[in-house]
Amino acid sequence: MSTLLTDLTPLIAGIGVVIASAVLVRTHRLSVALPVLLDFLLAAGLLRLTAAAPWRAIITVAVIVLLRKVVTWSLGRTAPTPGSQLAVR
């Protein structure tokens, strides 16, 4: 079972890259596509973690989750809200 989970992690990560790329092409917004990619990478990391859970793997996943939260938060702060427009003088 652990070999199957380990073998699935690159597949899940690859699917994430493809789907995030499609979202980026469709929306032209990195602030929408990047969280999709990071969610898939998180899923792949969690699958790998379930296969073998040494402390190093747990710390790695914690760092990935923290990175995802920080990047998503910072993109949300800098991205304009829908419907808002810059004033043109």
Side-chain angles (χ1 to χ4, degrees), residues 2-25:
S2 64
T3 304
L4 175 64
L5 293 176
T6 304
D7 291 343
L8 282 178
T9 56
L11 177 65
I12 299 295
I15 290 171
V17 169
V18 170
I19 291 176
S21 298
V23 169
L24 182 61
V25 167

Side-chain angles (χ1 to χ4, degrees), residues 17-69:
V17 169
V18 170
I19 291 176
S21 298
V23 169
L24 182 61
V25 167
R26 179 82 172 146
T27 64
H28 301 287
R29 293 182 60 201
L30 185 61
S31 63
V32 175
L34 190 58
V36 172
L37 174 63
L38 292 174
D39 281 342
F40 273 92
L41 293 177
L42 177 61
L46 290 174
L47 276 176
R48 189 171 188 179
L49 183 63
T50 60
W55 281 105
R56 184 174 179 188
I58 293 170
I59 291 170
T60 301
V61 170
V63 168
I64 291 170
V65 170
L66 180 63
L67 176 67
R68 183 212 183 281
K69 292 295 182 183

